Amino acid sequence: LGGVGGKRQWVAEKSEVERGGVEAEAVTEDEEEIETAGDSGSSDTTPIQAGALKKGSHVVIKGFPCKIVDYSTSKTGKHGHAKANITGVDIFTGKKYEDISPTSHNMLQPIVNRKDFQLVDIDDENFITVMELSSTGEMRSDLRIEPDKDEVHRKLKEEFEEGKDLSVSVLSAMKTEKIVGYKQLTT
């Protein structure tokens, strides 16, 4: 009888949920709207365990995509966790950041892409027009160089003004893009 009583109780709970099902659906829809209302940036990163990181890989430190330049682990007290001491350099600015995290905890790893484009033009405001080096040949004019602040950008502009055919490498991560290098195209 105990099993039957338990079954009846489960059926009663189920029927209560079914009666309030309309309210439950409304709450679920509201929660979904909240989740999709803002962009959390989750598509720009993937989780990775701090213990799985190594020198040369990428990680988000203090909200910035960084390349790890120094990584070490240290054990703590009797019941503590091993800690990862991570030093990284921002892939866009070169600024150094440090973080300490338990090796068993997850950190964010930025999805970093590098794409090559053919340089078509540099306008008066230092916006560049580039063409994708693929079958699509898509044109873009939304990238800007800073020849006064960045040595690579200064040399790029000089060589373009000399009439050289150049391709540029664009690094992108976490909704940020920067020209990080260039080379002369061989025809």
Side-chain angles (χ1 to χ4, degrees):
L1 280 177
V4 174
K7 191 171 187 179
R8 275 194 217 130
Q9 187 179 2
W10 179 80
V11 171
E13 288 174 9
K14 185 177 179 188
S15 64
E16 286 174 24
V17 170
E18 287 173 350
R19 280 186 294 224
V22 175
E23 289 179 10
E25 282 182 32
V27 170
T28 305
E29 287 176 18
D30 288 345
E31 288 174 359
E32 287 177 19
E33 285 178 30
I34 291 169
E35 288 178 22
T36 58
D39 183 14
S40 64
S42 61
S43 62
D44 297 334
T45 60
T46 57
I48 186 167
Q49 207 169 35
L53 293 168
K54 52 189 163 196
K55 194 172 177 178
S57 61
H58 294 95
V59 68
V60 177
I61 301 176
K62 296 184 171 99
F64 299 98
C66 297
K67 185 171 189 170
I68 298 173
V69 293
D70 189 34
Y71 178 89
S72 61
T73 56
S74 59
K75 296 203 179 225
T76 57
K78 188 174 180 181
H79 298 290
H81 293 279
K83 303 271 190 209
N85 300 306
I86 304 161
T87 303
V89 175
D90 188 313
I91 59 175
F92 297 117
T93 65
K95 189 173 177 184
K96 189 183 260 188
Y97 294 97
E98 293 183 357
D99 197 4
I100 298 172
S101 175
T103 56
S104 59
H105 287 196
N106 277 348
M107 296 186 76
L108 293 176
Q109 186 173 40
I111 298 171
V112 180
N113 292 309
R114 180 185 288 259
K115 218 172 194 182
D116 290 332
F117 296 90
Q118 181 176 350
L119 181 59
V120 177
D121 188 31
I122 301 176
D123 71 14
D124 297 338
E125 297 176 359
N126 290 324
F127 279 97
I128 66 168
T129 303
V130 292
M131 181 173 65
E132 195 171 329
L133 288 174
S134 68
S135 58
T136 61
E138 185 179 324
M139 300 285 276
R140 297 181 53 177
S141 299
D142 59 343
L143 294 167
R144 189 176 196 167
I145 58 171
E146 297 177 321
D148 301 334
K149 298 179 184 176
D150 192 307
E151 185 67 19
V152 171
H153 294 180
R154 186 185 63 74
K155 288 180 178 178
L156 169 71
K157 188 170 183 176
E158 281 178 11
E159 290 196 29
F160 179 75
E161 288 172 348
E162 291 172 8
K164 295 180 181 175
D165 285 335
L166 305 171
S167 72
V168 295
S169 293
V170 178
L171 198 65
S172 64
M174 298 174 64
K175 297 186 177 40
T176 304
E177 293 182 304
K178 183 180 179 184
I179 296 165
V180 292
Y182 70 95
K183 61 184 176 188
Q184 188 165 351
L185 287 171
T186 54
T187 51

